[in-house]
């Protein structure tokens, strides 16, 4: 019995370790910096909604990575954990009317474009394109929540 309990505890721990903590930029623009503080060099300027995976915490600063595996630090109060977004990973992405490759293409999105996440269904993500339609995209072609 103790062996079974140990195995279950290890399994539960590995499941928690694989869960990704995500945030999204919650301002018009913020800087991703080389270190935890405003005295560090600004590496990138990130736009509202840009999704980031949290790697570690240091006070009010988050070490993060983006869909291209760029890493840096952002000030936590400038991000949100309640506003899921995805970013387009491919050159051109079809936004479809339904979660199916056979459904009508409503619009297209370009690499790096930020899409607000509205829901999920299997391998599909329901999104809203800024100044564009609401629709469905294949989950494997976007990165985020």
């Amino acid at each position: 019995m103790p062996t079974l309990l140990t195995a279950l505890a290890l399994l539960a721990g590995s499941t928690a370790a694989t869960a990704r903590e995500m945030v999204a930029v919650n301002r018009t623009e913020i800087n991703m910096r080389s270190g935890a503080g405003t005295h560090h060099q600004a590496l990138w300027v990130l736009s509202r909604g840009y999704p980031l995976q949290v790697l570690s915490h240091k006070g009010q600063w988050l070490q993060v990575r983006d869909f291209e595996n760029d890493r840096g630090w952002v000030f936590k109060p400038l991000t949100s954990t309640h506003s899921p977004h995805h970013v387009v990973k491919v050159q051109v992405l079809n936004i479809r009317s339904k979660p199916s490759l056979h459904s009508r293409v409503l619009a297209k999105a370009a690499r790096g474009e930020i899409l607000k996440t509205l829901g999920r269904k299997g391998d599909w993500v329901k999104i809203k394109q800024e100044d564009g339609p609401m629709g469905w995209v294949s989950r494997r072609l976007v990165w985020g929540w």
Side-chain angles (χ1 to χ4, degrees):
M1 189 63 149
T3 305
L4 177 61
L5 292 176
T6 302
L8 289 173
L10 288 173
L11 181 61
S14 67
T15 302
T18 60
R20 295 191 316 177
E21 180 183 358
M22 299 291 292
V23 296
V25 173
N26 197 22
R27 299 290 190 274
T28 303
E29 290 183 335
I30 69 170
N31 291 319
M32 180 190 287
R33 297 187 174 274
S34 61
T38 56
H39 59 282
H40 291 279
Q41 176 186 5
L43 303 172
W44 305 101
V45 175
L46 306 174
S47 300
R48 183 180 302 277
Y50 198 88
L52 297 162
Q53 181 182 3
V54 177
L55 303 173
S56 68
H57 300 256
K58 186 175 186 180
Q60 286 290 304
W61 289 85
L62 303 173
Q63 184 182 34
V64 295
R65 79 172 187 93
D66 70 6
F67 79 106
E68 295 178 311
N69 208 28
D70 292 322
R71 294 167 187 251
W73 293 82
V74 296
F75 191 53
K76 184 178 181 177
L78 305 179
T79 66
S80 170
T81 58
H82 305 296
S83 182
H85 284 76
H86 279 79
V87 62
V88 178
K89 295 191 310 186
V90 295
Q91 291 303 313
V92 178
L93 174 70
N94 290 327
I95 299 172
R96 298 184 176 274
S97 60
K98 296 179 183 174
S100 165
L101 289 175
H102 304 293
S103 65
R104 185 169 53 93
V105 174
L106 302 173
K108 295 189 182 289
R111 180 177 172 81
E113 188 172 335
I114 301 163
L115 305 169
K116 183 175 175 91
T117 306
L118 302 176
R120 290 176 191 80
K121 186 175 185 179
D123 292 332
W124 293 85
V125 179
K126 187 174 187 179
I127 57 88
K128 170 70 172 99
Q129 187 178 34
E130 186 177 340
D131 300 324
M134 183 176 9
W136 293 88
V137 297
S138 172
R139 191 172 195 166
R140 66 183 178 81
L141 304 177
V142 293
W143 185 88
W145 301 17

